[in-house]
Amino acid sequence: MTHMQDTIIEAFNFRHATKRFDATKSISDSEFNTILESGRLSPSSLGLEPWKFVVIQNKALRNKPKEISWGAQGQLDTASHFVLILARKNVVAKSPYVQHLLREVKQYSPESIPATEEKFDNFQTGFHINDNERTLLDWARKQTYIALGNMMTSAALLNIDSCPIEGFDLDGVTKLLSDEGILDEANFAPSVMVAFGYRETEPKPKVRQSQADVIEWLE
């Protein structure tokens, strides 16, 4: 393998779901910005970027979800950086958000927008994405996991540990964030949490199924 191939595989072997971090160590601003950028620059269906990254560094605020986040007990206390990834609601062609993306961010020409809207509608209808608000949100949440994976891989390439966290009371966290003025429930919903830092102890060796068990070639 090439040096780059070795580096990539080493990073995936290095990465593990870190339950407790060394609370005395902090990620540099530069390295954490690289992690955030790998999330921001991630691909998404139709390039619609249906996500928002909320970095929770306030210690008092981190304590509040502990009782309803059983999967984040050690991470909330010890992580250098703790991120909540939100999924955007109701991302459809005619929504103000998509219109903003098309017109202000991507700067599509006015004459090309109707055809783009039709393409978006056809795609979402074909995959039953826009059947209702719940299917739209489920689709947006799937997109956030692309960014999540890229952020954790980027961290591993920097020898920074991470842990993805789904172990929380969704309704409870939604209410908490809304009550704290962090979550705009009309436009966003919690998707997943992820913690970053430096491992407190060495993990067990990584164990995975073999390639033969999970990969099928059709030639």
Side-chain angles (χ1 to χ4, degrees), residues 106-213:
K106 300 179 184 296
Q107 297 186 347
Y108 281 28
S109 63
E111 59 271 18
S112 70
I113 288 178
T116 302
E117 291 173 343
E118 183 179 6
K119 180 181 76 172
F120 287 3
D121 287 339
N122 290 340
F123 168 76
Q124 290 188 323
T125 299
F127 272 83
H128 298 282
I129 292 167
N130 59 2
D131 285 355
N132 53 59
E133 290 186 3
R134 177 55 189 268
T135 56
L136 278 165
L137 180 56
D138 287 344
W139 166 80
R141 282 184 167 135
K142 287 196 296 184
Q143 305 307 302
T144 69
Y145 278 69
I146 301 172
L148 170 69
N150 285 340
M151 292 168 74
M152 292 191 297
T153 299
S154 297
L157 287 164
L158 295 168
N159 290 318
I160 293 170
D161 290 294
S162 63
C163 185
I165 301 161
E166 292 182 316
F168 58 92
D169 179 333
L170 180 60
D171 292 339
V173 168
T174 298
K175 183 178 186 306
L176 171 64
L177 295 173
S178 182
D179 290 346
E180 291 289 328
I182 298 168
L183 178 66
D184 170 14
E185 285 194 69
N187 293 301
F188 291 99
S191 181
V192 64
M193 301 172 176
V194 57
F196 297 95
Y198 297 94
R199 63 190 63 180
E200 185 177 66
T201 58
E202 286 300 312
K204 297 178 181 178
K206 189 182 292 289
V207 178
R208 291 291 189 273
Q209 296 181 76
S210 70
Q211 284 199 10
D213 289 331

Side-chain angles (χ1 to χ4, degrees), residues 36 52 66 83 87 119 139:
L36 289 175
K52 183 176 181 180
K66 282 187 69 175
V83 182
K119 180 181 76 172
W139 166 80

Side-chain angles (χ1 to χ4, degrees), residues 17-21 59 62 66 69-82 162-165 193-196:
T18 305
K19 305 305 181 185
R20 289 190 64 83
F21 299 90
K59 298 297 184 183
R62 275 201 201 177
K66 282 187 69 175
S69 302
W70 56 91
Q73 297 299 297
Q75 298 92 332
L76 282 165
D77 284 338
T78 63
S80 170
H81 291 71
F82 196 89
S162 63
C163 185
I165 301 161
M193 301 172 176
V194 57
F196 297 95

